[in-house]
Amino acid sequence: MSERPFMQLYVSDFVGDTLQLSTEQIGAYMLLLMAMWNAGGGLPDDDARLARVARLPLKRWRAISAELLAFFERESGEIGHKRLTKELSKARLKSEARAAAGARGGAATALKTKAHAGANADVLMRHSPESRNQMEKAPAFSAREARERPGTSIGGEATSGSRGPQKPQGWIRPKTHSDAANAIIEEIRGYDHGRTAAGDEGAGGNVLLLPAIRPD
């Protein structure tokens, strides 16, 4: 298919300019214009080739071509058409503008899609069960690693014989599951001590829960 799928035809101008042509000549003229449009604006100035384009025997072409060729410009072995060349230029500009707009639209769509994909991936990562579990387990793992690492105290601070990095002033050790369990245990013990002091015979039973609460 041609890159220029349609050719602009100014009907009034065409009819007015070809009043002196016969029906045969008008048909040949239109065939020449359409072939020239598809060829990009020019045709070889050769009777045999032009006769084939006009679908006429060579002898008949030579008999009617004088009036037809008056509508064309002949130069450097080719024939051209001033009005057709102008319309071709306009068509090329429109085609290039549409192509540029399509490229800009495609690039903008690609960037938008990439941005949405990145945002969705970040949301999925932050809300995935594995990510939440890792965030919740991080403090407990830190405390466990501190207990297992030689020369480090439970709070993560380096002992006197260690060469580990010193924590900045004001640093507070993150709370762990052990801290939470110990806090509950102390609260239960204080509650039982209060009941015992008040003479409650059932006091002390809550202490039996302590082994189940203690994390280790």
Side-chain angles (χ1 to χ4, degrees), residues 1-199:
M1 179 180 291
S2 170
E3 295 180 359
R4 297 163 293 276
F6 65 91
M7 181 180 69
Q8 187 76 33
L9 176 65
Y10 296 89
V11 177
S12 297
D13 291 345
F14 182 83
V15 172
D17 290 343
T18 59
L19 290 176
Q20 74 276 23
L21 300 180
S22 67
T23 301
E24 182 182 39
Q25 289 173 318
I26 289 175
Y29 183 30
M30 282 299 302
L31 289 171
L32 291 173
L33 289 176
M34 289 187 288
M36 189 174 290
W37 179 270
N38 284 337
L43 290 175
D45 190 1
D46 178 84
D47 280 341
R49 294 187 180 185
L50 295 177
R52 286 196 296 271
V53 170
R55 303 179 187 180
L56 292 171
L58 179 57
K59 183 177 180 179
R60 184 58 188 164
W61 163 255
R62 285 174 173 167
I64 67 171
S65 62
E67 287 185 278
L68 288 179
L69 292 178
F71 290 94
F72 297 93
E73 300 170 335
R74 309 176 76 169
E75 184 178 358
S76 302
E78 284 192 345
I79 64 170
H81 192 281
K82 186 176 181 179
R83 184 67 174 268
L84 183 140
T85 300
K86 181 179 178 181
E87 294 302 322
L88 269 176
S89 179
K90 289 166 58 176
R92 289 193 186 101
L93 291 176
K94 289 181 179 179
S95 178
E96 291 171 0
R98 285 195 297 267
R104 290 193 299 270
T109 300
L111 289 175
K112 186 176 181 181
T113 301
K114 184 177 180 179
H116 284 175
N120 291 338
D122 182 62
V123 170
L124 290 175
M125 180 63 71
R126 287 189 286 107
H127 289 82
S128 66
E130 292 183 359
S131 296
R132 292 200 300 269
N133 290 340
Q134 292 296 329
M135 293 173 64
E136 293 171 357
K137 291 178 181 179
F141 288 160
S142 298
R144 185 181 304 169
E145 291 172 359
R147 288 197 298 271
E148 296 174 354
R149 187 182 303 123
T152 307
S153 67
I154 297 298
E157 298 179 356
T159 59
S160 59
S162 69
R163 296 183 180 179
Q166 299 296 320
K167 300 298 181 183
Q169 185 177 1
W171 180 82
I172 300 176
R173 180 175 60 83
K175 296 295 183 180
T176 66
H177 294 303
S178 296
D179 295 329
N182 289 332
I184 295 173
I185 290 171
E186 291 303 320
E187 184 176 350
I188 292 175
R189 283 176 174 167
Y191 176 68
D192 281 340
H193 289 164
R195 292 176 59 192
T196 301

